[in-house]
Amino acid sequence: MSHIAVERNRRRQMNDHLKVLRSLTPCFYIKRGDQASIIGGVIEFIKELHQVVQSLEAKKRRKSLSPSPGPSPRQIQTPFAMIHDNNINLKEVELGAACCNSPIADVEAKISGSNVLLKTMSRRIPGQIVRIIGVLERLSFDILHLNISSMEDTVLYSFVIKIGLECQVSVEELALEVQQSFCIKEHACTN
């Protein structure tokens, strides 16, 4: 087979594989139809699926270990106010992250550049997204992006939020506040 025919076959296979990847990936992950956008969208989709699997595995482990009641915060405290007051480049700050897990929901918050990535994993609770948005607005965060993924009765909310100038909470406090928004009269945190 000539070099030209081999190259043509390789390109055809690559295009066929890209078509399959595009068909398997939800459309909102792929912004354009070029190869780089398709591959980038697939990578983001796989990362999110990986996080869903990890969260479900952690939830399964907690259930098998009979979890203690109430939220359990851990990790680093990085006051957002320090970042604004001292005009610090966030890439120079030790990146803060916090997880706050309970039998009702897993909450993770971490600084990424000049924003915060906030993810919650729980079973579907009517009105929960509105409560989380209320907490973020009360704490002076601006929502830049929200992605909702669901599988059966489980839902993953992924936020990209901007740190407001009046924000006076740490990453850990943010995770706790969001975790507490899951504690409503019908669903007590001490389950």
Side-chain angles (χ1 to χ4, degrees):
M1 210 185 259
S2 74
H3 175 71
I4 294 171
V6 170
E7 181 62 19
R8 187 178 300 135
N9 187 39
R10 187 196 64 78
R11 277 186 273 148
R12 184 188 52 76
Q13 284 180 334
M14 182 68 92
N15 287 333
D16 290 345
H17 291 314
L18 285 169
K19 285 178 188 174
V20 171
L21 284 174
R22 188 172 188 169
S23 71
L24 293 173
T25 306
C27 62
F28 51 84
Y29 284 93
I30 300 173
K31 307 291 187 249
R32 296 183 310 270
D34 61 288
Q35 292 178 353
S37 296
I38 293 170
I39 292 170
V42 170
I43 289 169
E44 289 303 311
F45 181 57
I46 290 171
K47 283 180 181 177
E48 193 154 312
L49 288 176
H50 184 68
Q51 289 174 340
V52 169
V53 168
Q54 285 180 328
S55 182
L56 290 172
E57 287 173 349
K59 194 175 207 177
K60 184 178 175 182
R61 280 193 304 271
R62 279 196 314 276
K63 283 184 180 179
S64 68
L65 297 173
S66 69
S68 61
S72 58
R74 67 181 192 277
Q75 295 290 34
I76 305 164
Q77 284 195 3
T78 304
F80 297 129
M82 175 188 81
I83 294 163
H84 286 299
D85 294 345
N86 297 324
N87 201 17
I88 296 172
N89 181 346
L90 287 174
K91 292 181 180 178
E92 297 170 2
V93 174
E94 180 178 347
L95 293 182
C99 294
C100 190
N101 301 326
S102 77
I104 296 174
D106 295 340
V107 177
E108 177 187 320
K110 61 183 171 183
I111 295 175
S112 175
S114 60
N115 299 319
V116 176
L117 304 177
L118 173 70
K119 295 186 179 187
T120 68
M121 170 80 72
S122 68
R123 62 183 174 75
R124 262 181 236 272
I125 301 172
Q128 183 59 43
I129 190 71
V130 175
R131 284 188 287 280
I132 295 171
I133 291 170
V135 167
L136 296 175
E137 289 176 345
R138 179 173 51 81
L139 296 175
S140 299
F141 289 99
D142 297 321
I143 299 169
L144 302 176
H145 179 76
L146 167 62
N147 186 34
I148 302 172
S149 302
S150 62
M151 185 182 341
E152 295 178 9
D153 194 35
T154 302
V155 64
L156 169 69
Y157 299 122
S158 301
F159 293 86
V160 177
I161 52 179
K162 183 178 179 184
I163 304 166
L165 292 175
E166 292 97 36
C167 186
Q168 297 290 321
V169 296
S170 67
V171 180
E172 184 177 67
E173 291 166 332
L174 170 62
L176 273 170
E177 290 281 339
V178 171
Q179 177 64 251
Q180 289 172 356
S181 76
F182 284 88
C183 302
I184 55 176
K185 293 176 185 169
E186 297 85 38
H187 307 92
C189 276
T190 57
N191 284 355

